[in-house]
């Protein structure tokens, strides 16, 4: 554990915790989704978002392997931010449809 804290920045740990909370919330949305399409959509978008974000933080903290992959939020282009916002909006739409 000390090696992990030595290599990782404390902010990175906070963001990893927030991504895992987001994944937990996506799984709760899937459990309560009224249709299987909404459930699969929410879990698919949640896993893609969390996987790429956790890989980004793993590479930046030298905890994971440094391979070339697309980064969800950390890219310099604007399309990544658009698609991330779109996927979060779709997940929120699925969670709103379960309340009705």
């Amino acid at each position: 554990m000390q090696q992990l804290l030595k290599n990782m920045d404390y902010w990175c740990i906070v963001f990893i915790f927030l991504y895992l909370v987001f994944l937990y919330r996506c799984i709760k949305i899937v459990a309560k989704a009224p249709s299987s399409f909404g459930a699969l959509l929410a879990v698919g978008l949640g896993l893609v978002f969390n996987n790429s974000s956790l890989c980004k933080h793993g590479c930046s903290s030298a905890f994971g392997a440094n391979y070339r992959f697309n980064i969800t939020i950390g890219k310099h282009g604007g399309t990544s931010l658009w698609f991330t916002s779109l996927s979060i909006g779709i997940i929120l739409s699925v969670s709103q449809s379960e309340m009705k």
Side-chain angles (χ1 to χ4, degrees):
M1 186 69 178
Q2 290 177 351
Q3 183 69 22
L4 177 67
L5 290 176
K6 181 181 174 185
N7 287 338
M8 296 179 77
D9 190 20
Y10 288 109
W11 284 108
C12 187
I13 294 171
V14 169
F15 281 116
I16 287 174
F17 177 73
L18 289 175
Y19 288 132
L20 292 177
V21 168
F22 182 74
L23 182 64
Y24 173 73
R25 296 293 298 169
C26 285
I27 291 171
K28 282 185 71 171
I29 289 170
V30 167
K32 295 180 180 180
S35 67
S36 61
F37 176 73
L40 290 173
L41 189 65
V43 77
L45 291 174
L47 285 176
V48 166
F49 178 73
N50 278 305
N51 185 27
S52 60
S53 300
L54 289 175
C55 287
K56 175 190 176 287
H57 285 292
C59 288
S60 67
S61 64
F63 187 65
N66 194 6
Y67 294 118
R68 299 181 82 186
F69 55 86
N70 288 337
I71 299 172
T72 305
I73 294 177
K75 283 181 80 172
H76 296 290
T79 57
S80 180
L81 185 62
W82 279 102
F83 283 110
T84 300
S85 301
L86 183 69
S87 67
I88 291 174
I90 291 171
I91 291 171
L92 286 174
S93 175
V94 170
S95 70
Q96 286 294 323
S97 68
E98 77 186 26
M99 293 180 152
K100 292 180 181 179

